[in-house]
Amino acid sequence: MPAASPSASAPSPTTGPTGAAAPRGLRSRWTALTVLSTGMLMTILDGSIVTVAMPAIQNDLGFSPASLSWVVNAYLIAFGSLLLLAGRLGDLLGRKRLFLAGTAVFTGASVLAGFASSPAALIGARFLQGVGSAMASAVGLGILVTLFTEPRERARAIAVFSFTGAAGASLGQVLGGVLTEALDWHWIFFINLPIGLAALLLALPALPADRTHGGPGLGAGADVLGAVLVTSGLMTGIYAVVKVERYGWASAHTLGLGALSLALLAAFTLRQAKARTPLVPLRIFRSRTVVGANLVQMLMVAALFSFQVLVALYLQKVLGYGAAATGLAMLPAALVIGAVSLGVSARLNARFGERAVLLAGLALLVAALGLLTRLPVRADYATDLLPVMLLAAGFGLALPALTTLGMSGADDRDAGLASGLFNTTAQIGMALGVAVLSTMAASRTESSARSGSTPAEALTSGYHLAFALGAGLLLAATALAATLLRPGAPRLPR
């Protein structure tokens, strides 16, 4: 497949979001990319930095074991359920305006989280952080694709943007351990204040201005009922998934909320088919490329939960690594991802096409998880784990190619919607990865422990199952990519 090219109706290099004048110079566009990447870094960093500090937060604020998960779940539910709505609002009200508002909300909520003195205060601040993250993240890719319309420049910009997310995840684990051990857990939230302020100050002059009155306005798509249906449907579904570990898949709680979520989303789909000004025009789902890219991403992100989180747990609970040492042990993965995504992915996409590069990246990731299924209880880092970290380079190949495909054909009308959809499928994939892989790993661990295995052996057995399931998800993603993302697949319908 050739590299993504702008559609006939796509804005010119001097046209920005909502038809506004974009920065004309290359330096101005790359400054804008720096701002967007900083926003992405802050969002991803916050997601991973919290996990390392959870024990300290529990001890200081008196969280019960059952309620501690809400430090993560409150953020995930708000973030995942509002992305689609926020992306469309960016198209209607102006993407720069929504990015600035979201960054300000996230930064302010981070300060509130840092000063939290009770579980309720911290959970509320985390929910508000998720709202701000959804507002800023949903329009980031939408702004990017309207700034960089030349295929090679766009490929390089997407590679930088994608690398920022991977770097933020790894950096968060290192930084979370260092800040928690050197200072205290409050600083994992206060660190967002200087980053957020810098992003706001840079964004004001760097991002392309919206029209005088923002985007075309709510009158062009103010489907209030549709907004209520999709947001409540996604929120209910994500809540059901993140609570699976407590209630189980076959429980009345999970099945009831799952049925309610599907009913709400079905009602939303019917509403969009009939509404005069739909919140999400259903034509976006008529593109095989867009649908395929989003499905592949959902499976890939779900699978890579087993790498990002379960490998860290294996290092700490089985091998006895500390928080900072765990982050450093996973640092080679971030380095190779960065080297590949920033150094070669754009050139490979231009030469071989995004589909071929995506398939190569998925193959490397399948190999990485395959090696993880053979981890011994007493692993040697250099021989057992370092090869896995190096094979993570597949993520540096897969994500930029997949992002380009997911945003293919998006013009100034729907770039925010396509961006919100792509981010939404990532969050759904993450929630499914947490629910499915962690639940299966815990079940296998308990079974092994009852059979007489030592705690380390039981944990390792559980992780082996999760890694094998993750490899299976990646194989399914590979099959979808090979069939749905064929050369010549139609772009986003007009």
Side-chain angles (χ1 to χ4, degrees):
M1 181 186 298
S5 59
S7 66
S9 59
S12 68
T14 58
T15 302
T18 67
R24 294 177 180 273
L26 180 62
R27 178 178 297 179
S28 297
R29 293 200 300 276
W30 283 91
T31 301
L33 175 62
T34 300
V35 173
L36 297 174
S37 297
T38 300
M40 169 64 77
L41 176 66
M42 206 164 46
T43 297
I44 301 298
L45 186 72
D46 189 78
S48 60
I49 200 173
V50 171
T51 58
V52 178
M54 294 279 273
I57 292 173
Q58 182 178 18
N59 292 335
D60 190 24
L61 296 186
F63 274 94
S64 68
S67 64
L68 182 63
S69 63
W70 279 101
V71 177
V72 174
N73 291 343
Y75 179 88
L76 179 62
I77 290 171
F79 185 35
S81 61
L82 292 173
L83 278 165
L84 198 58
L85 173 61
R88 189 55 176 165
L89 290 178
D91 290 332
L92 299 174
L93 299 176
R95 294 179 206 116
K96 178 178 180 178
R97 180 176 296 176
L98 204 69
F99 180 87
L100 292 172
T103 302
V105 169
F106 178 85
T107 304
S110 297
V111 175
L112 293 177
F115 282 117
S117 57
S118 68
L122 182 57
I123 291 171
R126 289 288 289 163
F127 187 89
L128 194 57
Q129 276 187 304
V131 173
S133 287
M135 294 167 65
S137 300
V139 296
L141 277 172
I143 296 174
L144 186 153
V145 299
T146 53
L147 281 172
F148 296 90
T149 57
E150 195 277 321
R152 287 184 180 272
E153 271 194 4
R154 178 181 287 189
R156 290 174 57 204
I158 286 177
V160 172
F161 191 78
S162 301
F163 163 70
T164 304
S170 298
L171 180 61
Q173 292 181 322
V174 178
L175 194 58
V178 170
L179 288 175
T180 303
E181 292 177 7
L183 298 171
D184 59 47
W185 66 265
H186 299 274
W187 286 92
I188 68 171
F189 298 112
F190 289 144
I191 192 68
N192 290 327
L193 179 59
I195 299 175
L197 291 176
L200 287 170
L201 291 175
L202 286 172
L204 286 169
L207 295 185
D210 298 317
R211 288 176 177 172
T212 304
H213 299 292
L218 290 177
D223 181 12
V224 177
L225 177 58
V228 172
L229 288 171
V230 70
T231 302
S232 57
L234 287 171
M235 191 171 291
T236 302
I238 293 173
Y239 173 77
V241 169
V242 299
K243 300 302 287 184
V244 161
E245 189 171 2
R246 177 178 178 183
Y247 291 99
W249 287 101
S251 67
H253 181 276
T254 301
L255 294 177
L257 288 180
L260 176 59
S261 173
L262 290 175
L264 290 168
L265 292 176
F268 167 73
T269 303
L270 291 175
R271 169 68 181 175
Q272 298 313 285
K274 298 179 180 180
R276 183 176 63 86
T277 55
L279 182 72
V280 179
L282 296 184
R283 67 175 182 275
I284 196 172
F285 298 108
R286 296 203 300 268
S287 168
R288 191 175 68 211
T289 300
V290 171
V291 171
N294 278 276
L295 289 175
V296 169
Q297 177 182 232
M298 188 184 304
L299 292 172
M300 186 176 75
V301 170
L304 291 179
F305 164 80
S306 65
F307 178 86
Q308 184 67 38
V309 176
L310 296 184
V311 170
L313 290 174
Y314 168 82
L315 289 170
Q316 293 185 54
K317 293 188 174 183
V318 177
L319 300 187
Y321 283 36
T326 297
L328 291 173
M330 299 187 71
L331 191 58
L335 294 178
V336 295
I337 291 171
V340 171
S341 61
L342 296 178
V344 299
S345 66
R347 292 196 295 272
L348 292 176
N349 284 335
R351 181 171 181 179
F352 300 106
E354 296 95 338
R355 176 179 178 269
V357 175
L358 171 60
L359 290 173
L362 288 172
L364 291 176
L365 293 174
V366 170
L369 291 188
L371 288 179
L372 287 173
T373 63
R374 301 171 60 86
L375 278 179
V377 175
R378 295 178 178 83
D380 177 74
Y381 180 82
T383 58
D384 295 316
L385 286 162
L386 184 58
V388 174
M389 302 300 166
L390 298 180
L391 286 172
F395 194 63
L397 292 176
L399 187 58
L402 195 56
T403 303
T404 301
L405 291 166
M407 294 299 295
S408 59
D411 65 6
D412 62 330
R413 288 187 307 163
D414 296 321
L417 172 60
S419 174
L421 176 64
F422 195 70
N423 281 288
T424 298
T425 56
Q427 292 305 308
I428 292 174
M430 184 181 299
L432 287 172
V434 170
V436 175
L437 299 181
S438 63
T439 300
M440 297 303 292
S443 177
R444 170 66 69 83
T445 297
E446 291 176 4
S447 175
S448 297
R450 287 195 300 267
S451 299
S453 299
T454 66
E457 291 171 342
L459 285 168
T460 303
S461 176
Y463 297 146
H464 282 171
L465 176 60
F467 297 143
L469 291 173
L473 291 174
L474 288 174
L475 288 172
T478 302
L480 284 176
T483 54
L484 294 180
L485 304 179
R486 296 193 301 271
R491 298 290 184 174
L492 189 63
R494 297 273 63 83

